Amino acid sequence: MLGWEQRFTIEPAGDRPRFVQIAQALVAEVRRGRLRPGDPLPSSRALAQSLGVHRNTILAAYAELRAEGWIVSEPARGTFVSQALPDPSPRRFAPSATLREQVPARAAFDLPPAIEPFRFDTRTPPGTIALPGGVPDVGLVPAALLARAYRRALQRDAKALLGYRDPAGHPALRAALATMLSATRGLAADADSLLPTRGSQMALFLVAQLLVRPGDVVAVEDPGYRPAWEALRRAGARLVPIKVDADGLVVDELAALVARERVRAVYLTPHHQYPSTVTLAPGRRLELLRLARGARMAVIEDDYDHEFHYEGRPVLPLASTDAAGSVIYVGTLSKVLAPGLRLGYVVAPPPLLARLVVLRSTIDLQGDAILEAAVAELIADGEVQRQVRRARRAYHARRDALAAALHEQLGDAVSFTTPGGGMALWLRARDDIKVAAWERGAAAHGVQFQPGSRFAFDGRECQQLRVGFAGLEERKLREAARRLAAGLEAARRR
């Protein structure tokens, strides 16, 4: 026995197994130099007696260290610290190479134009109430059920799930999603016409890269969803804004554009238009599909929050009646479960889907197979639909609470129509109110909203503003309305 083991102690390390703690403590002794390459280690029996643990615990620790390369065992001689440690210090590739002190502040090559970031308002000062639209309440997510499903998937099929897999996605998730979409949205989808992606933004990016060539005209809603615009622009699209009114996208304006020039695609959010929440009228839906067929124009339908409709029956997607194959349907589970899970999907005709799978494999060889297997189980068990019903009930109550609080606190300073669905309210400020000044006053009183200029195609100042309600409980929403009123008063005084 050497002298080091007299001072050898094991620090508590949470719920990690005892043998792992012992192995890590021995590694620490090597790193600090108290154990050197070639030094002998105590026998498993002697170290077990010294530490007051079972000998099998020491045997397991030694096995772990041998597997990692920290120790070697020689028959009839004993166990020793390895002469070739597994973490050798790297060396410079040339004597004249000087190590840099930090990452260079400038690039030594030409860069493309800077990309304008889209603000998601994920960071707020302490005490500030943020009201971003489209953000779910992750506190409602059945995290324990998800964790159990994740563990079961890993225990059931670890070898397959931890290896490389088909970039088309886990077959169980594709089948489960197809069944769910057929039952709840009339899509008549199957596993071969659906591709899971890491969120709907990846789906939009893949579709844009595959569909658009530099200079292609793509029509978009104005106001609308800027991240989708940027995905299309990065593919080389020339975006043309189409006005949105109380009945959704003005299809007559789109038809006039199609009559003037070739339009490759139109991107829209017909169920709850982003950001205004209006639903595309039935007549316009039929006209849009006729126009798309006649002009051989793709329709990119982003149905980002279909589940959250509170009054009447939700309208089925455009894709549900698209027999011609014009519609590329994009959806997400981020609003139903949680944004951090990054699970979206595309439903499209098989020839397009096959190309999307190939393209996806060039930037992301595969999705998170373990997560996909776990979520497939939750869908098959009905847990996802139960979560939808729980969240829908909560968001319905929150919508009504915020609407009532805004009427009480702001009076005729704003006007709005309470939407039948969605996760936000789209307000119009009275003409004598400057929304930009109100935004600053609100921030000073600890509340943030999204000004309408953020969704305008040209960034123009406008009288609209967007306030989300899904992520906050009713008490917090009432306080937010009070702060909005205080911020407006401060803006008026200023």
Side-chain angles (χ1 to χ4, degrees), residues 422-446:
M423 305 169 77
L425 302 181
W426 184 242
L427 314 180
R428 177 180 175 82
R430 207 171 50 217
D431 289 342
D432 62 327
I433 295 172
K434 293 187 180 299
V435 174
W438 186 6
E439 183 185 15
R440 293 190 294 271
H445 282 79

Side-chain angles (χ1 to χ4, degrees), residues 42 86 124 143 180 234 277 293 296 330 365 383 417 440 493:
T124 56
M180 185 180 77
R234 290 292 142 191
T277 74
R293 287 194 299 272
R296 295 192 60 79
V330 175
L365 286 177
E383 186 54 45
T417 299
R440 293 190 294 271
R493 289 198 304 270

Side-chain angles (χ1 to χ4, degrees), residues 174-188:
R174 287 158 46 205
L177 280 171
T179 300
M180 185 180 77
L181 294 176
S182 296
T184 61
R185 305 187 195 184
L187 289 191

Side-chain angles (χ1 to χ4, degrees), residues 243-386:
K243 185 173 66 177
V244 170
D245 63 16
D247 289 323
L249 184 81
V250 179
V251 178
D252 285 347
E253 193 173 309
L254 175 62
L257 174 64
V258 170
R260 294 194 306 270
E261 54 187 314
R262 172 101 160 68
V263 178
R264 178 61 169 154
V266 56
Y267 165 80
L268 74 164
T269 52
H271 191 47
H272 300 133
Q273 197 274 332
Y274 189 100
S276 70
T277 74
V278 300
T279 299
L280 186 63
R284 291 187 181 182
R285 288 170 178 257
L286 294 172
E287 180 58 29
L288 175 60
L289 290 173
R290 282 196 294 267
L291 182 63
R293 287 194 299 272
R296 295 192 60 79
M297 175 181 65
V299 177
I300 306 171
E301 180 178 18
D302 186 351
D303 201 3
Y304 63 98
D305 67 350
H306 183 93
E307 294 82 4
F308 301 120
H309 201 81
Y310 314 118
E311 294 166 353
R313 298 167 64 190
V315 179
L316 290 177
L318 292 166
S320 67
T321 58
D322 171 43
S326 300
V327 179
I328 303 167
Y329 184 82
V330 175
T332 180
L333 293 177
S334 293
K335 305 295 189 285
V336 175
L337 295 174
L341 295 180
R342 308 311 308 139
L343 268 179
Y345 49 86
V346 184
V347 179
L352 174 64
L353 203 75
R355 290 167 170 81
L356 286 171
V357 171
V358 173
L359 179 60
R360 186 252 177 86
S361 69
T362 65
I363 61 170
D364 182 29
L365 286 177
Q366 63 187 62
D368 183 338
I370 307 172
L371 176 64
E372 290 182 4
V375 172
E377 179 181 311
L378 293 180
I379 295 174
D381 289 348
E383 186 54 45
V384 168
Q385 283 304 113
R386 284 190 286 274

